[in-house]
Amino acid sequence: MDWQGQKLAEQLMQILLLIAAVVAFVVGYTTASFRTMMLIYAGGVGVTTLITVPSWPFFNRHPLKWLDPSEAEKHPKPEVVVSSKKKSYKK
Amino acid sequence: MHSFGYRANALLTFAVTILAFICAIASFSDNFSNQTPSAQIQILNINWFQKQPHGNDEVSLTLNITADLQSLFTWNTKQVFAFVAAEYKTSKNSLNQVSLWDAIIPEKEQANFWIQISNKYRFIDQGHNLRGKEFNLTLHWHVMPKTGKMFADKIVMSGYRLPNAYR
């Protein structure tokens, strides 16, 4: 996944789980069935897992451009220049 | 969120945290239920009333217990535990509670019942104070939830009296 995809995955996961929880509670409360609430929530967790955990292509729409290894050899790594600015003392 | 394991862990943790919230709200919703239980207890017969060799009084009763506890059941109720206790005062203790009978009610349909039975547990005093003793019969109940807080309450029925002499 790319960076945008990771952010999307995290947001999708949180929103989907919250929706599943709200739907499960409302349906369970109105039908007075604890079992229904638990089943709906478990289903919601399963669906969210299927959508957000595997590395689907739509998470990779802004792929990072990695440098080709053969290209890297042609351009040496730049040297780190230590630039020190010393304050001039005024006596 | 860069790897499969990372995302799976984050999802699982968040899902369990939200599950805890759902259960807390479900338990909180129990506060809004309208509870109107009713009960009646009759003492049909005093089977015997004796002083044990060690000096403690013991009495055996036949009770007729009628109760409607159906309104105690909510969607978040696993079972209701009900018990009948005899409560009285002596010079030694300001409150004596002796449990005479109990039952576990797992379903709402079974909560409207009457039962005629001799006391399940023995009614033995600490001492010999029971002759002519006035006592209350209290039906206590504990509403045990599937998740969350347990509620307990009772109905006190007074006006019962033991005979003045052993039989």
Side-chain angles (χ1 to χ4, degrees):
Chain A
M1 283 191 191
D2 58 61
W3 301 115
Q4 301 286 359
Q6 289 178 29
K7 180 176 175 185
L8 178 64
E10 179 169 2
Q11 286 176 332
L12 263 182
M13 174 196 83
Q14 290 170 340
I15 292 181
L16 285 177
L17 280 181
L18 279 172
I19 292 177
V22 169
V23 168
F25 183 79
V26 168
V27 172
Y29 189 68
T30 51
T31 61
S33 170
F34 197 86
R35 192 159 177 265
T36 308
M37 177 176 85
M38 286 292 138
L39 286 175
I40 293 180
Y41 183 64
V45 172
V47 166
T48 309
T49 310
L50 283 176
I51 293 179
T52 62
V53 174
S55 197
W56 298 114
F58 65 84
F59 286 124
N60 207 16
R61 277 194 287 226
H62 306 272
L64 296 160
K65 289 204 256 314
W66 296 107
L67 198 56
D68 205 42
S70 54
E71 279 287 319
E73 283 166 19
K74 291 183 196 165
H75 306 273
K77 267 189 179 175
E79 284 174 30
V80 178
V81 175
V82 178
S83 62
S84 52
K85 279 186 185 167
K86 281 192 175 159
K87 272 192 177 169
S88 54
Y89 293 95
K90 276 185 182 170
K91 270 198 177 168
Chain B
M1 307 295 260
H2 49 75
S3 72
F4 183 91
Y6 198 111
R7 288 191 296 276
N9 180 37
L11 187 146
L12 193 64
T13 312
F14 197 56
V16 169
T17 306
I18 293 187
L19 181 66
F21 272 110
I22 295 178
C23 290
I25 299 175
S27 173
F28 184 72
S29 73
D30 272 353
N31 285 318
F32 302 114
S33 65
N34 194 16
Q35 302 188 329
T36 54
S38 62
Q40 256 190 329
I41 303 182
Q42 265 182 309
I43 297 186
L44 293 176
N45 188 29
I46 299 192
N47 305 328
W48 44 265
F49 184 10
Q50 284 167 7
K51 189 170 174 175
Q52 286 183 332
H54 295 287
N56 295 328
D57 281 351
E58 182 176 353
V59 61
S60 167
L61 308 163
T62 301
L63 301 165
N64 185 353
I65 305 170
T66 313
D68 181 4
L69 303 176
Q70 285 190 321
S71 61
L72 298 175
F73 279 78
T74 70
W75 70 308
N76 186 27
T77 302
K78 182 179 185 299
Q79 64 198 18
V80 168
F81 174 69
F83 67 96
V84 169
E87 296 173 352
Y88 57 96
K89 188 176 169 171
T90 60
S91 55
K92 191 172 162 200
N93 306 316
S94 62
L95 175 64
N96 299 277
Q97 279 177 314
V98 183
S99 180
L100 300 179
W101 171 87
D102 58 25
I104 294 177
I105 308 171
E107 306 269 347
K108 187 174 180 172
E109 289 69 33
Q110 299 175 19
N112 191 3
F113 64 93
W114 71 269
I115 182 173
Q116 186 170 317
I117 198 175
S118 64
N119 47 313
K120 194 171 171 185
Y121 305 110
R122 301 171 66 171
F123 188 167
I124 302 177
D125 187 29
Q126 274 186 327
H128 45 88
N129 305 300
L130 290 184
R131 275 165 296 176
K133 178 62 72 181
E134 287 180 10
F135 63 99
N136 295 338
L137 283 173
T138 312
L139 177 69
H140 297 254
W141 59 82
H142 290 353
V143 181
M144 297 175 172
K146 292 194 172 95
T147 165
K149 185 170 186 275
M150 182 176 83
F151 293 87
D153 205 351
K154 61 187 179 187
I155 294 180
V156 179
M157 289 156 276
S158 52
Y160 303 93
R161 198 159 183 278
L162 287 171
N164 291 329
Y166 295 124
R167 304 186 185 172

